[in-house]
Amino acid sequence: MNREFPPTEKGRRYEMRAQGLRQFAGLKKDIDRLDPFELAAHANLLVVPFEQVSALSEGTREHLLGAGKDAWSGGAASIPLPDGRTLIILNPTHSKNRHAATLMEEVSHVFLGHKANELAVKDPSGKTTKTRDYNHAIEEEAYSTGAAALVPYSGLKKLIIDGRTAREIARHYGVSTALVEFRIKISRLWGLYEKHLFKG
Ligand SMILES: [Zn+2]
């Protein structure tokens, strides 16, 4: 299978970086599944189960798992651990498939050289437009690169042509159906997807 790249400039850029991550993970084919937990260890990230984070108060804990459970997917601690690793927490109320995308975003931040303290910059005057734009750009870059690493373009296109549904493709790569649909749309493959889905 020849490796192909998405038609958009942005898509190609994210795909190139994603390919770098996949290569680093030792994957040879775009059809291979990436294990984000293995890659996280190489990226000096320590994924800790939510229950083991003792710094949270009972109230905060209850909020994060209760009323606020849909408002966060996971995150990195802004201060590194004494051994240099960065602590990552994933929302335990989310599925394993959603964890894959969240964790890959954090891995991408590391590989793309985004600094955690840059993310935390706050303008006391309240004029945070510039910071917010910057944050938005790097969040998009990290999320999109991570998504492309999990569901690379050539593999996605091949499975679409094989007539597989987004759900089946999601199962193949160990990600959520929503992530596969996002990749299909952003890669401009939706037309091809519908054509193969509804034929015969
Ligand atoms: Zn992020």
Side-chain angles (χ1 to χ4, degrees):
M1 182 174 68
N2 287 324
R3 185 162 286 141
E4 289 182 65
F5 286 86
T8 64
E9 194 270 323
K10 229 181 202 181
R12 275 195 295 274
R13 202 169 66 228
Y14 296 148
E15 194 76 21
M16 299 276 276
R17 284 164 192 180
Q19 286 298 338
L21 280 169
R22 290 180 62 84
Q23 213 170 6
F24 188 77
L27 302 177
K28 300 221 160 35
K29 289 182 251 157
D30 274 8
I31 212 73
D32 296 339
R33 183 198 283 210
L34 172 71
D35 180 356
F37 286 87
E38 205 179 294
L39 199 52
H42 289 298
N44 245 359
L45 300 177
L46 178 67
V47 185
V48 171
F50 186 82
E51 310 79 59
Q52 283 180 23
V53 184
S54 52
L56 301 172
S57 71
E58 197 58 37
T60 305
R61 192 178 295 267
E62 271 173 32
H63 176 74
L64 289 172
L65 298 179
K69 71 176 163 55
D70 297 322
W72 69 290
S73 53
S78 55
I79 301 163
L81 297 167
D83 65 5
R85 287 185 294 177
T86 299
L87 186 75
I88 303 285
I89 303 163
L90 300 170
N91 187 328
T93 71
H94 290 175
S95 70
K96 232 187 133 211
N97 291 343
R98 279 184 74 179
H99 285 166
T102 306
L103 189 51
M104 273 314 295
E105 182 189 324
E106 297 303 331
V107 169
S108 297
H109 277 310
V110 173
F111 277 89
L112 296 169
H114 301 158
K115 290 187 183 72
N117 55 353
E118 283 178 276
L119 300 176
V121 171
K122 271 191 197 120
D123 185 339
S125 72
K127 286 175 189 164
T128 53
T129 317
K130 239 183 174 169
T131 309
R132 217 181 296 133
D133 283 350
Y134 171 75
N135 280 351
H136 179 78
I138 66 167
E139 286 309 322
E140 189 199 308
E141 182 180 42
Y143 182 79
S144 301
T145 302
L150 287 164
V151 184
Y153 183 80
S154 292
L156 177 61
K157 193 172 172 184
K158 185 199 177 293
L159 292 171
I160 287 172
I161 291 167
D162 287 349
R164 310 277 288 274
T165 65
R167 220 173 138 216
E168 289 167 339
I169 297 170
R171 211 174 301 133
H172 176 88
Y173 284 115
V175 299
S176 69
T177 304
L179 184 85
V180 170
E181 288 174 346
F182 165 76
R183 286 287 297 151
I184 293 173
K185 281 176 196 156
I186 206 125
S187 308
R188 308 266 168 94
L189 288 169
W190 198 263
L192 187 76
Y193 178 60
E194 283 190 329
K195 193 178 118 196
H196 284 272
L197 204 58
F198 298 119
K199 88 174 171 198

